[in-house]
């Protein structure tokens, strides 16, 4: 069976790869079943497995291939992509988004305070120290109305990029895996979703968390340019954004993963979120 390599990617997070073609019958003639081969990063694949079953009813066969990290799926297709937009530009890759999926929200958690407004002046806030997640944490604090970032903020975190800090918060960068442990010492900690889940935290425990307005971190489906209009790939997006899948995600993940179905235009303009405080959105 001849297949054309495509890709499905997750912006700034996981990445997957895909291939598609017609299913061949026993006699060698093609039938009406389209096959989309989807590579997904290892971890919780329950949503994709659910979509596989739904797709069969729509005449679409999805094959899942699991990768052990975020880079391998793109190595299989485009010789190395870690973060979609950054690497599309740096490597001059011909990829485009065709749909959004979910966001696994970063949250601001605290053992010392019950409400965001209870954070005192001079409060210590632990954040991940890796540049991208540092930036994500700063954007979270901006969305919460605690700080304002300079206009030149480009998603990469540093203390120098903070424009206004009216509560004089003390931002403490630490290894991302240590952010839950800092809850015993800091006033609050910005924690990536995976580490929060490992620590037994849910979004309901957070003082504040990202929503689908955090467009830079919404997972996306993307393909090689020129393939966006292929019916089987549009069907894949339609299935992922269906009410059935939305309900499945909400029931299965109990709010720790949020369906974030926004338009492709919103995805393309995700950088708007970097310079617009929550009150301006």
């Amino acid at each position: 069976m001849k297949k054309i390599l495509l890709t499905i990617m997750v912006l700034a997070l996981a990445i997957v790869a895909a291939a598609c073609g017609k299913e061949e019958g026993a006699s060698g003639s093609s039938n009406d079943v389209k096959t989309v081969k989807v590579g997904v990063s290892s971890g919780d694949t329950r949503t994709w497995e659910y979509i596989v079953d739904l797709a069969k009813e729509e005449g679409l066969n999805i094959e899942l291939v699991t990768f052990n990290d975020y880079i391998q799926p793109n190595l299989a297709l485009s010789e190395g992509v870690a973060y979609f937009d950054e690497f599309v530009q740096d490597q001059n890759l011909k990829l485009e988004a065709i749909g959004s999926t979910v966001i696994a929200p970063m949250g601001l958690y605290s053992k010392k305070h019950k409400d965001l407004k209870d954070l005192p002046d001079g409060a210590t806030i632990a954040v991940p120290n890796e540049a991208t997640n540092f930036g994500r944490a700063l954007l979270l604090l901006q969305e919460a109305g605690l700080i304002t970032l300079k206009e030149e903020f480009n998603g990469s975190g540093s203390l120098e990029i903070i424009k206004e800090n009216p509560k004089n918060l003390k931002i403490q960068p630490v290894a991302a895996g240590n952010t839950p442990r800092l809850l015993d010492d800091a006033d609050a900690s910005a924690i990536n979703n995976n580490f929060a889940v490992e620590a037994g935290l849910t979004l309901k425990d957070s003082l504040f968390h990202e929503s689908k307005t955090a467009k830079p971190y919404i997972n996306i489906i993307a393909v090689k340019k020129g393939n966006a209009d292929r019916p089987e790939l549009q069907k894949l997006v339609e299935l992922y954004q269906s009410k059935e899948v939305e309900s499945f995600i909400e029931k299965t993940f109990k709010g720790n993963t949020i369906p974030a179905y926004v338009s492709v235009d919103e995805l393309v303009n995700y950088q708007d979120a970097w310079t617009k405080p929550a009150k301006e959105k």
Side-chain angles (χ1 to χ4, degrees):
M1 177 170 60
K2 184 178 180 181
K3 296 187 177 181
I4 301 173
L5 283 179
L6 305 170
T7 197
I8 300 172
M9 308 178 65
V10 174
L11 178 58
L13 294 172
I15 312 162
V16 300
C20 70
K22 282 192 174 182
E23 187 93 3
E24 297 295 331
S27 64
S29 61
S30 62
N31 57 31
D32 293 331
V33 178
K34 294 285 188 177
T35 294
V36 177
K37 189 173 183 182
V38 181
V40 297
S41 59
S42 62
D44 197 326
T45 59
R46 284 177 289 176
T47 300
W48 279 108
E49 291 167 358
Y50 180 71
I51 291 173
V52 167
D53 291 335
L54 286 181
K56 291 177 181 177
E57 301 174 6
E58 301 288 337
L60 181 64
N61 182 49
I62 299 176
E63 299 178 10
L64 299 181
V65 178
T66 303
F67 293 87
N68 293 323
D69 58 51
Y70 295 155
I71 299 176
Q72 284 184 8
N74 285 285
L75 288 176
L77 176 70
S78 302
E79 299 182 358
V81 179
Y83 296 104
F84 180 72
D85 196 48
E86 178 181 353
F87 276 79
V88 163
Q89 294 181 28
D90 290 349
Q91 304 295 326
N92 194 30
L93 301 177
K94 306 301 182 183
L95 303 173
E96 60 182 321
I98 62 172
S100 63
T101 57
V102 297
I103 185 170
M106 176 181 279
L108 186 66
Y109 298 85
S110 176
K111 286 185 177 181
K112 298 181 178 181
H113 309 289
K114 298 295 185 181
D115 195 278
L116 195 65
K117 66 178 183 294
D118 295 333
L119 288 175
D121 289 350
T124 299
I125 310 294
V127 300
N129 62 3
E130 180 270 325
T132 300
N133 282 312
F134 191 170
R136 185 174 183 176
L138 292 180
L139 187 61
L140 174 68
L141 296 178
Q142 176 172 262
E143 187 178 357
L146 296 173
I147 64 173
T148 302
L149 302 174
K150 296 178 181 178
E151 291 184 2
E152 60 265 32
F153 176 67
N154 63 0
S156 181
S158 73
L159 296 177
E160 290 72 25
I161 206 66
I162 299 174
K163 179 180 180 180
E164 297 177 1
N165 184 3
K167 295 178 74 72
N168 194 29
L169 301 176
K170 298 175 182 177
I171 311 298
Q172 181 180 351
V174 300
N178 289 334
T179 50
R181 302 186 186 100
L182 266 291
L183 288 173
D184 291 327
D185 301 313
D187 288 279
S189 188
I191 306 176
N192 289 88
N193 184 274
N194 58 320
F195 294 120
V197 171
E198 289 175 5
L201 299 169
T202 70
L203 287 180
K204 292 181 180 179
D205 301 319
S206 67
L207 301 179
F208 188 83
H209 63 77
E210 292 172 330
S211 67
K212 66 180 182 181
T213 61
K215 291 183 291 185
Y217 311 107
I218 292 176
N219 294 355
I220 68 170
I221 298 174
V223 300
K224 272 189 173 180
K225 287 185 176 180
N227 288 298
D229 294 331
R230 293 183 65 136
E232 61 269 41
L233 298 181
Q234 286 298 318
K235 173 60 68 174
L236 188 66
V237 174
E238 181 183 328
L239 285 168
Y240 206 114
Q241 296 181 353
S242 66
K243 289 294 184 182
E244 292 90 340
V245 173
E246 181 177 8
S247 297
F248 175 85
I249 293 170
E250 291 172 346
K251 180 179 179 180
T252 302
F253 298 99
K254 305 184 187 306
N256 279 327
T257 297
I258 299 174
Y261 305 151
V262 302
S263 70
V264 172
D265 286 342
E266 288 181 86
L267 291 174
V268 171
N269 296 315
Y270 69 88
Q271 292 180 349
D272 290 347
W274 285 341
T275 55
K276 292 182 180 178
K279 62 183 180 181
E280 297 182 14
K281 292 179 182 178

